[in-house]
Amino acid sequence: MGDPALDITTEDLGFLCDDPNCELAGGPLGLTAAEIQARVLALRAKPSAPADNEPEDDELGEAEDLEGGGEDEVDEDDEPADDPADPTAIDPLGQGAPCPVCRAAQPPRRGKLLAIANRGLYARVLAAVTGLFGLRYWQLVESDSTSGTNRLLDAQRHALGDATKSKATSSFVIGRKLITAVVLKELPFDGHLLRFGNRDAAIHTFTTVPGKKGQKPRQKRAWVQGEAKYGLEHGPPGPSARANPVYVRELQEDLIWLGYLSTSRGSVTPGQFDVFTLGAVLGFKQDLIEIYGIASSDKRIDVKPGSVRAGEFSTAIWSQPKFLSPVRSMLDWVTALRGGGKRKGVLGVAKALVSNVQNNLAKAKTAKKFRAYLERFELHRTTLEALMDGWPHLAALEAVDRPFKPFAPKAATRAVGELAPVPPGKQPKYADASALAADAVWSSEGYNARDMNRSFFLADLNKALEAVKKTLAYLDDLRARMAALKPPAEVDAEWTTAKSAAEQTVTTLMTLLGLVRYWILDSPTQVTAWLAHIVEMGTVDQPTAVYLKALREGGKIGPGRRPAYQLQPLTSKDDFASPDALATFLREECTKRTPNAPGAKSTTMPEIVALQFFGNETGLKFTHSLAPFNTRAEDKDTRLVMLGVDTNSYRKGSFDAVFHAGGDWFWSRGWGVGQATEANGTLDGMQLRRGLPILPPGSDAVQHPKAYVDSKTSITDAMTRKVLAKYNRTMRRDCTFSGVPFGAYYDCHTCLKRFFDENLRGVGKYGKGGAFVPKNETVLGNPDHSDGFFLDLERYTPFSRGKEGVEDPDAAKRYRRLFNADPGPVDPNVADVLRKMDGATAIATAAEVVAKAAGVDKATLVAAVQAHVKARTQLPCSWLQVRISYAGKGEQAFSSLFDLLDVVGDLKASNETVIKHIKEASALRRS
C-alpha cells in the first residue's frame, strides 16, 4: 500500500457512474458509499418503467472495441440479483465496478462506477470533470502494486478495517475516454517506446488503386494493413497489450489536441511515426523543459509499472535543452565568411588587406605615408583577429573527423589560435561542391528534405566553399606581397613587427579555413549523425509518455503545477457553411470598414487582396476533422481549429529534419482562417509561446482566446492585429488605379492584370525580367535579402531587364498612364548606379565608382539613388508591400508577392471559390 500517511481513507472517496443516463454521471464530483446506498433504496421503491423505454445499446462500446479500448459487455442474466450497493465490495479484477444505482433502475442499466479521491492528498490530481455527457477526463492515478481502481477500493476497505485485497495486476491507470473509464495496462502505450519509423498494424496512407477499362492506376488514401512495429528494444506488443493497438495514432491524436502536430502543414500519415510526428514530439519535449520545468536526461530512464506517485512524478525525460544542427553551424559560417548587412566577413577583410599592401604600402614613398597606410593595415588585421576570436560554433571544429554529438551549443575548449589542423591522412567525404551536392542525404524523402530547401542551402554551401577558396588565395597573395615589400628605411622595424603579427594571423586563419572547408565537404556525415541523434531524442520514452497523458487528460505537471492548453472541440456548425460563405463574409468584413479616402470606393483592405491572402493561408476553411486520427469513439465527428505550423527550417514551412536549423523546434503557429501568427506575445490576455496560449500555473480551466476558436473572430483578429498593423507601417500609398492621385478604387484584378498584359510581371517565381525588383537598404535585385520591392519601369537594373532585356526610354509615359504620376527625369549618374545593381553589388559600392568617374559627391549620389527607389516603392499601392511583410523577409516573402500577382492578376489558383469571388468583386468595382 505504500506510505500509510499517503493512503486514501473513506472520507477521501466518492464515486461516479459512466452511464450518461445515471444520476451519478453528473452533479457533484463523486458520492460516498452511504449516499449511493440511499439512492438505491429510493429507486427500488419506485415502480418499473415501461419496456419500450429501455435505452438502446451505447454505440461507444462497439467503437471502443475496434480501437482496443472498449470494455467487455456484461450479460445481465449472469449478474447476481443481490449485489450489494456498497461499491467497496465489488470489482475484484479492476474492470470497472457495476453501478448499484444503474442495477436498481427499471429497466436496469450497465453503468460502471469509478472511484474518485475528491478530498485529501489526491484531490488535486485525481479529479473527474463532469459535463453534458458525464465523466469527461481523468488525470493520473497512482498505482503501486494494483490497478488504480483496485487501489482506491482497497484503500477504503483498509480504512474500514477490512484487510481483503483485490487481485494484484501491476497496472498503471489513466482514465481516457468520454464516459467510459479505460484501464491501460502497464504504462501509457503499454510501456512501448515510440519513435520515428514505428507504425500501427493499420496505417492511413496512400495506396495504388488499379485503373478500370484501360485507365491509369491512381493514388488514394486508405487504411493499409501491416505488422505493428513499436519502440526501442521492444518487439511487437505482447500478451499484456491491448488488442489491435493504435499507439502511434493515439500519440498523434494527443499531439494534435495539444497543438504540436498540424495536419494543415505537411502530409501527416495517421498510424505512422513520420517526420512530422517527430518534429511534434521534439517540440513537445522542448516545452516540457522550458515551460513546465521538467528536467532532461541524456540517457533513457525506464519507469516501472506502479512506481508513479500522483502529483509527485518528476522523472527526467530523454532529451536535451538546446540543439545545434549542422545546418545552423554552416549557415553561421557562411555569414562569418561573407559578412552580412554592413559587416564584412573574413573574405572582405582579407581582400582589404591585400589591397592595402598592393595599392598603399608598396607604393608609399615616404615614412609618413607608410605609417598612415600601416595604421589602416593594422586595423584590418585586428578586425580579422576579432572575426576569428568570435568565430561561431568554434567547438565543432575541434574534432572535424568525428560527429559533433550531442549537437548542442558548446563552448570551445581552446582558443582559435590553438586549433589543430585537419589530422594528417584524413580526407572529407567529398572533394568539391558538385560532389557534395550529389549526396543522397540532401534529398531524403523520409525526412522531408524539400527540394526548395535543398537548392537554397546547397547554393549557400557553394558560396561558403567559394569564399574559403578566395580567402585562402588572398592570404597566399598577402604573404607573397608582404615578403616582397621594401618599406622606407625609417619604418623598417615597424614593418617587421607588423608583418610578424600578420604572419601569425594568416597562419591561424588558414588553419581555421581548412577546418571549415573539411567540415562542409564532410557535412553529409554530420547530417546523418544529426538525424540519428534527433530520432533518439525524439523518442517518446516512458516519462515523456506519462507527462503527455497527464497534460492530455487535463492534469498539471512540473514545479508550477501548470496545465496544458488543449484545442477546443468544434463541430461543423462552428465553421462557415461553405468556402463560398466564408469568402462572402471576408468581403463584407473588408467593405464595411472605414474607407481610406472619404466617399471613395475603397476599404481599409481591398477585398480582392484579402481573398487571395486568406485563401492562400487556409483554403478558406476554419476547422478540420480529427478523423482519421481519432482513437476515441466520441471524437468521430469532432473538428478542430486549423493550425498552420511554421518551423525553424532553412525556409519556413512544414517540418524538415535535414534542413532544420535547430533551436526552436516550432517557430510559430497560425490559427484559423486568418492564420495570424505570433511566436511570442499576448492574445486576449493569454501569453503566447511559439503561437500557443500558455496557461498560468495553477489554472483550473483552459482558456480559449476567441481568435483560436471563433471563425469570424479569427478573421477580424488577423486583419486588425496582423494585416492592418503592417499596412500602418508602410507608406500607406492608396490605390492609384482610378486615375486620380491618391485615389482608392481598388479593383485589384483589373489593376494587376495590366502587369501581365504589358509583360511587366517577369518570369519565374521571382519575376525576373519584370518591373518588380526586390530591394533592401544595401542591395537591389536580390530576393534572398529583400525586405520589399520597387517598380523599375525604366528597366535600369539587370534584374528588371532580365536576359536580353532592354531599357525603356518611354517609362515616364507608362508611369503617367498606370499611376497618373510623373516620376520626373532620372539623373544619368543615378541610372548608372542602378545599372550596376546586380543583386550582389552594394548601392554604396556602385555609387563610389560612378561618383569618382563623374566627379560628384558619393554621399549625395547614394541619397539620390535611394530617393529614386523610394519614389517607386509600393506602387501601385501599399497592399502589395503588406503581402511581403506578412510573409517576413527574404526570397520567401518576395515570392509571396508573385503568388498574389498570379492569383489576383492572372487568376491562376486551384481554389475555384477564390477565383469566383475575385471575378465578382472586380465586376462590382467596374460597375
Side-chain angles (χ1 to χ4, degrees):
M1 292 297 293
D3 187 349
L6 299 178
D7 286 343
I8 301 173
T9 66
T10 304
E11 289 74 18
D12 294 335
L13 284 176
F15 294 87
L16 284 170
C17 180
D18 66 5
D19 192 308
N21 297 308
C22 180
E23 57 188 290
L24 299 186
L29 296 182
L31 299 180
T32 65
E35 291 171 323
I36 292 175
Q37 288 174 334
R39 297 198 181 196
V40 169
L41 293 175
L43 284 172
R44 286 178 176 172
K46 291 183 178 179
S48 299
D52 57 3
N53 287 342
E54 183 173 355
E56 296 180 0
D57 288 342
D58 192 342
E59 295 178 357
L60 273 178
E62 179 181 355
E64 288 174 344
D65 285 341
L66 292 175
E67 303 298 347
E71 304 201 18
D72 295 335
E73 294 287 346
V74 180
D75 190 338
E76 294 174 13
D77 294 336
D78 294 337
E79 296 175 354
D82 56 349
D83 278 333
D86 182 359
T88 62
I90 52 182
D91 191 27
L93 298 179
Q95 295 177 344
C99 172
V101 176
C102 289
R103 299 292 302 280
Q106 295 297 326
R109 294 185 297 266
R110 299 173 180 174
K112 294 181 180 179
L113 286 181
L114 220 62
I116 306 293
N118 53 21
R119 289 172 294 277
L121 174 67
Y122 292 92
R124 295 183 305 159
V125 292
L126 289 173
V129 179
T130 54
L132 180 62
F133 299 106
L135 180 63
R136 186 159 183 79
Y137 295 121
W138 254 50
Q139 296 176 9
L140 289 179
V141 179
E142 179 196 9
S143 176
D144 286 341
S145 60
T146 62
S147 74
T149 303
N150 287 344
R151 172 164 168 72
L152 292 171
L153 295 172
D154 287 346
Q156 188 172 27
R157 289 195 188 98
H158 176 71
L160 295 173
D162 184 353
T164 304
K165 292 186 177 181
S166 302
K167 181 180 178 181
T169 57
S170 297
S171 297
F172 182 88
V173 176
I174 300 174
R176 293 188 58 253
K177 298 196 174 186
L178 188 67
I179 300 175
T180 304
V182 178
V183 175
L184 303 183
K185 302 297 183 183
E186 304 299 330
L187 287 167
F189 311 119
D190 293 328
H192 287 285
L193 277 70
L194 304 181
R195 64 180 301 169
F196 179 73
N198 292 162
R199 55 187 291 161
D200 291 335
I203 63 169
H204 194 258
T205 188
F206 285 104
T207 184
T208 301
V209 179
K212 295 181 180 179
K213 297 181 181 180
Q215 295 180 345
K216 293 182 179 180
R218 60 188 177 89
Q219 293 282 313
K220 66 171 290 187
R221 281 193 172 273
W223 288 100
V224 177
Q225 293 296 322
E227 181 185 1
K229 296 181 179 180
Y230 298 105
L232 185 69
E233 302 171 6
H234 283 65
S240 65
R242 284 168 282 162
N244 187 26
V246 287
Y247 302 131
V248 175
R249 189 150 58 103
E250 182 183 321
L251 166 68
Q252 291 171 327
E253 177 190 26
D254 291 338
L255 292 169
I256 288 173
W257 275 100
L258 295 175
Y260 290 92
L261 186 61
S262 171
T263 60
S264 59
R265 286 287 176 91
S267 300
V268 183
T269 301
Q272 180 171 315
F273 200 128
D274 56 12
V275 69
F276 307 108
T277 308
L278 173 64
V281 171
L282 287 167
F284 175 68
K285 284 190 170 186
Q286 183 174 3
D287 281 355
L288 286 181
I289 295 169
E290 295 185 3
I291 295 176
Y292 299 98
I294 304 301
S296 63
S297 168
D298 59 357
K299 295 182 176 59
R300 176 164 56 90
I301 300 175
D302 289 329
V303 178
K304 295 181 180 179
S307 67
V308 179
R309 185 170 293 281
E312 299 178 6
F313 187 75
S314 59
T315 303
I317 61 171
W318 190 19
S319 187
Q320 62 190 58
K322 300 292 182 182
F323 289 82
L324 175 64
S325 74
V327 166
R328 180 75 274 149
S329 297
M330 288 185 280
L331 288 178
D332 289 343
W333 291 338
V334 172
T335 302
L337 287 164
R338 293 168 53 86
K342 298 179 181 180
R343 182 182 179 185
K344 284 187 176 181
V346 295
L347 172 61
V349 180
K351 181 180 179 181
L353 270 171
V354 173
S355 177
N356 181 267
V357 175
Q358 179 182 1
N359 300 320
N360 301 132
L361 289 172
K363 297 178 180 180
K365 302 300 184 181
T366 66
K368 182 178 180 180
K369 279 192 174 182
F370 191 91
R371 286 192 177 101
Y373 291 134
L374 186 60
E375 185 177 338
R376 186 182 302 177
F377 176 87
E378 185 61 17
L379 178 62
H380 290 324
R381 189 194 68 79
T382 55
T383 300
L384 209 54
E385 288 280 357
L387 288 174
M388 290 191 294
D389 289 340
W391 195 262
H393 319 302
L394 192 65
L397 300 176
E398 292 182 340
V400 293
D401 57 335
R402 297 197 301 271
F404 186 59
K405 284 192 173 184
F407 293 101
K410 288 191 289 189
T413 60
R414 61 189 74 174
V416 65
E418 299 171 341
L419 287 175
V422 174
K426 294 284 186 178
Q427 295 294 329
K429 187 173 183 179
Y430 295 106
D432 53 42
S434 59
L436 170 67
D439 194 283
V441 75
W442 309 120
S443 302
S444 173
E445 292 185 7
Y447 287 99
N448 194 41
R450 293 176 292 160
D451 289 340
M452 186 169 292
N453 283 351
R454 179 181 184 274
S455 62
F456 284 110
F457 180 68
L458 291 180
D460 268 347
L461 287 195
N462 191 52
K463 293 175 184 177
L465 292 171
E466 189 66 23
V468 169
K469 179 180 177 181
K470 287 183 177 180
T471 305
L472 289 172
Y474 282 133
L475 296 178
D476 283 336
D477 190 15
L478 178 63
R479 273 183 165 164
R481 291 184 183 279
M482 287 194 303
L485 181 64
K486 300 295 184 183
E490 301 94 321
V491 291
D492 187 68
E494 296 170 52
W495 170 242
T496 299
T497 301
K499 183 173 69 170
S500 176
E503 284 281 359
Q504 182 60 48
T505 300
V506 169
T507 299
T508 301
L509 182 54
M510 293 184 84
T511 298
L512 176 66
L513 294 178
L515 294 170
V516 170
R517 180 181 181 276
Y518 185 102
W519 215 94
I520 292 175
L521 290 174
D522 198 53
S523 56
T525 302
Q526 298 287 346
V527 173
T528 301
W530 156 257
L531 295 174
H533 180 66
I534 64 172
V535 164
E536 287 185 357
M537 295 297 101
T539 298
V540 183
D541 53 319
Q542 291 166 357
T544 298
V546 171
Y547 294 122
L548 176 69
K549 288 300 182 183
L551 293 176
R552 175 65 182 93
E553 303 304 339
K556 302 175 183 179
I557 67 172
R561 308 289 301 151
R562 189 191 291 271
Y565 179 82
Q566 296 196 45
L567 300 182
Q568 180 170 319
L570 303 173
T571 68
S572 57
K573 294 180 180 179
D574 295 300
D575 208 336
F576 290 90
S578 65
D580 189 73
L582 193 160
T584 300
F585 174 83
L586 186 59
R587 290 172 59 184
E588 292 174 350
E589 183 66 19
C590 291
T591 56
K592 75 181 182 183
R593 290 175 178 266
T594 303
N596 297 335
K601 294 181 179 179
S602 92
T603 58
T604 307
M605 182 179 189
E607 67 269 33
I608 292 178
V609 172
L611 286 165
Q612 187 277 335
F613 199 101
F614 291 96
N616 178 75
E617 293 294 328
T618 63
L620 298 181
K621 298 176 183 178
F622 177 67
T623 65
H624 70 94
S625 174
L626 186 58
F629 293 92
N630 64 297
T631 63
R632 311 183 186 196
E634 70 273 10
D635 288 334
K636 62 182 180 181
D637 297 321
T638 296
R639 301 185 71 83
L640 297 175
V641 65
M642 293 188 69
L643 282 182
V645 177
D646 278 338
T647 61
N648 188 20
S649 296
Y650 183 76
R651 191 178 190 271
K652 286 184 182 180
S654 59
F655 185 76
D656 182 336
V658 174
F659 297 103
H660 197 279
D664 286 350
W665 288 103
F666 278 102
W667 188 262
S668 59
R669 295 165 178 82
W671 59 90
V673 182
Q675 290 286 289
T677 306
E678 288 282 6
N680 300 292
T682 57
L683 179 64
D684 290 351
M686 291 291 297
Q687 177 190 352
L688 296 180
R689 167 77 171 175
R690 288 192 284 273
L692 278 181
I694 301 301
L695 301 177
S699 297
D700 292 324
V702 173
Q703 300 176 52
H704 297 281
K706 289 203 73 176
Y708 258 60
V709 297
D710 183 84
S711 55
K712 295 181 179 179
T713 305
S714 172
I715 292 177
T716 56
D717 172 79
M719 189 175 294
T720 302
R721 190 168 53 85
K722 299 293 290 186
V723 181
L724 298 183
K726 286 181 168 56
Y727 176 74
N728 290 333
R729 292 196 289 269
T730 68
M731 294 170 62
R732 294 177 67 107
R733 190 195 300 270
D734 287 331
C735 179
T736 58
F737 176 57
S738 67
V740 179
F742 309 109
Y745 187 54
Y746 280 158
D747 176 9
C748 304
H749 168 55
T750 306
C751 173
L752 296 183
K753 187 176 185 297
R754 298 175 302 169
F755 290 88
F756 291 86
D757 295 341
E758 301 191 25
N759 196 33
L760 299 174
R761 188 273 187 203
V763 298
K765 63 182 177 182
Y766 302 130
K768 194 163 187 177
F772 297 92
V773 179
K775 72 167 190 69
N776 62 31
E777 291 182 359
T778 306
V779 299
L780 307 175
N782 190 339
D784 290 351
H785 303 291
S786 63
D787 60 10
F789 69 93
F790 76 102
L791 284 181
D792 183 19
L793 292 183
E794 291 90 353
R795 307 293 182 96
Y796 285 140
T797 61
F799 187 95
S800 183
R801 287 198 305 275
K803 187 177 181 181
E804 300 176 357
V806 296
E807 296 176 13
D808 185 356
D810 297 323
K813 296 179 182 179
R814 196 189 298 265
Y815 274 109
R816 284 191 288 271
R817 179 165 50 81
L818 291 179
F819 311 121
N820 196 36
D822 188 349
V826 181
D827 181 272
N829 292 326
V830 170
D832 280 346
V833 173
L834 291 171
R835 292 184 183 106
K836 299 180 184 298
M837 294 292 94
D838 56 0
T841 302
I843 295 174
T845 302
E848 184 175 14
V849 175
V850 173
K852 185 175 182 180
V856 298
D857 179 64
K858 172 189 169 183
T860 302
L861 181 56
V862 169
V865 173
Q866 292 173 336
H868 173 94
V869 171
K870 183 177 181 180
R872 290 152 178 79
T873 292
Q874 299 179 31
L875 284 171
C877 68
S878 292
W879 286 107
L880 277 68
Q881 176 67 23
V882 170
R883 189 66 184 95
I884 288 186
S885 59
Y886 185 87
K889 294 183 178 181
E891 58 81 24
Q892 184 176 6
F894 190 66
S895 68
S896 72
L897 167 67
F898 292 90
D899 291 339
L900 174 68
L901 291 174
D902 292 342
V903 173
V904 174
D906 208 30
L907 299 180
K908 290 182 179 178
S910 58
N911 192 319
E912 294 297 331
T913 303
V914 170
I915 299 303
K916 169 192 170 185
H917 281 264
I918 287 176
K919 289 179 177 178
E920 286 182 3
S922 180
L924 288 173
R925 288 301 193 190
R926 291 195 301 269
S927 61

